[in-house]
Amino acid sequence: MEFISDRVSVERQGEGISIVIGSRLPKRQWALLIGWLVAWTLCGVAFLYEFLHGAGPDMRVPLFIMLAFWGYFELRIIRVVLWRKKGFELWRVKDGELTIKNSLYRFGKATRYFIANIQRLGLLNMDETSWKWQMSDSFWTRGAERLGFEYHEKKVAFGRGLTEEEAREVVQLLAAELKRERKAERKS
C-alpha cells in the first residue's frame, strides 16, 4: 500500500487498484465542528422548551416553523460530523469497471461504471475564489468534488475534499489505470 497523503491511500490488487480517501479533519477543525453541533443542539433545545412551555398562541406557529428549519439543519450537521468521523470514499478499478462508493461506517451505495463508457476524466474546472466554492469546500461540509468524467453523456463528480495536489496525483494514477484496463479489454 502506498500513500499519496495522510488521507489518500492506494493499493494495487493483482489486476486492479483501490484508492481510499479519508475525510478526517485536523484536531482544531474537529473541535470547531463539534462545538458548532453542540451550540446548534442547545439552541434547538431552547426553541423546543419555549415552544412546549412558554410560547403564547401567537408565537406557536413561528416557533414551529423555526423548529422545522432547525431540525433540518441539525440533521445536516450530524451527517457532516458522522462523515468526518467515519466516512471515506472508495474507488476501485477492476474487471473493466470503475466502482465509486461513499461509505459511512462501511455502509453506502457503490456505483459501477464500465470503463469503456468513461470519457473526459480530469479535474473539474472550479473558480476557487468564488463564494460557492468556498462554502462547499469548507470543513463544516462533506467537501466539494475535485474530479469528474462523462458517462453516457452525464457528468459524474467525485473526489470529495481532495486538495489540488492530491487531485492531480490521483487523476494521473486513475487515468493510467483506466488506460491499462482498456488495453486489457481489447486483448481479450
Side-chain angles (χ1 to χ4, degrees):
M1 182 179 300
E2 60 185 274
F3 292 91
I4 292 177
S5 69
D6 59 336
R7 296 181 323 110
V8 181
S9 63
V10 178
E11 185 175 357
R12 299 194 185 279
Q13 304 168 336
E15 293 292 318
I17 188 172
S18 292
I19 301 171
V20 177
I21 302 169
S23 60
R24 294 282 175 113
L25 290 172
K27 287 183 181 182
R28 181 176 169 270
Q29 289 178 341
W30 177 251
L32 287 170
L33 187 62
I34 294 299
W36 181 36
L37 174 63
V38 169
W40 190 256
T41 302
L42 291 175
C43 287
V45 168
F47 296 149
L48 186 61
Y49 179 81
E50 188 65 27
F51 178 77
L52 294 175
H53 299 293
D58 57 334
M59 286 300 295
R60 290 189 75 71
V61 171
L63 273 173
F64 180 77
I65 292 170
M66 189 164 57
L67 278 169
F69 280 109
W70 170 84
Y72 171 76
F73 286 107
E74 178 79 2
L75 290 175
R76 298 275 313 232
I77 297 168
I78 289 170
R79 186 174 165 200
V80 169
V81 168
L82 291 174
W83 174 256
R84 292 297 188 175
K85 182 70 177 172
K86 292 289 184 177
F88 62 90
E89 193 171 1
L90 171 66
W91 313 337
R92 180 175 292 137
V93 177
K94 190 174 183 180
D95 299 329
E97 290 183 336
L98 168 63
T99 305
I100 299 175
K101 178 180 179 183
N102 288 328
S103 181
L104 182 61
Y105 288 102
R106 303 244 182 239
F107 294 101
K109 182 182 176 189
T111 308
R112 297 169 190 249
Y113 303 96
F114 290 108
I115 291 174
N117 299 326
I118 294 175
Q119 298 173 350
R120 298 179 55 181
L121 172 70
L123 298 171
L124 296 178
N125 292 328
M126 296 286 186
D127 179 12
E128 293 186 19
T129 61
S130 71
W131 183 81
K132 180 182 176 186
W133 173 259
Q134 295 298 322
M135 290 301 291
S136 64
D137 198 41
S138 302
F139 71 89
W140 59 80
T141 65
R142 289 178 55 197
E145 292 92 352
R146 284 269 189 178
L147 306 174
F149 59 84
E150 287 184 10
Y151 188 78
H152 292 296
E153 298 180 12
K154 293 182 183 177
K155 295 183 187 307
V156 177
F158 61 104
R160 287 185 181 276
L162 290 173
T163 64
E164 189 167 344
E165 298 81 31
E166 292 170 339
R168 287 188 192 284
E169 283 188 53
V170 167
V171 79
Q172 288 176 352
L173 189 74
L174 197 54
E177 191 63 27
L178 292 179
K179 186 177 179 180
R180 189 194 64 71
E181 278 285 323
R182 284 185 179 122
K183 282 183 180 178
E185 276 185 13
R186 287 185 199 134
K187 288 180 181 178
S188 56

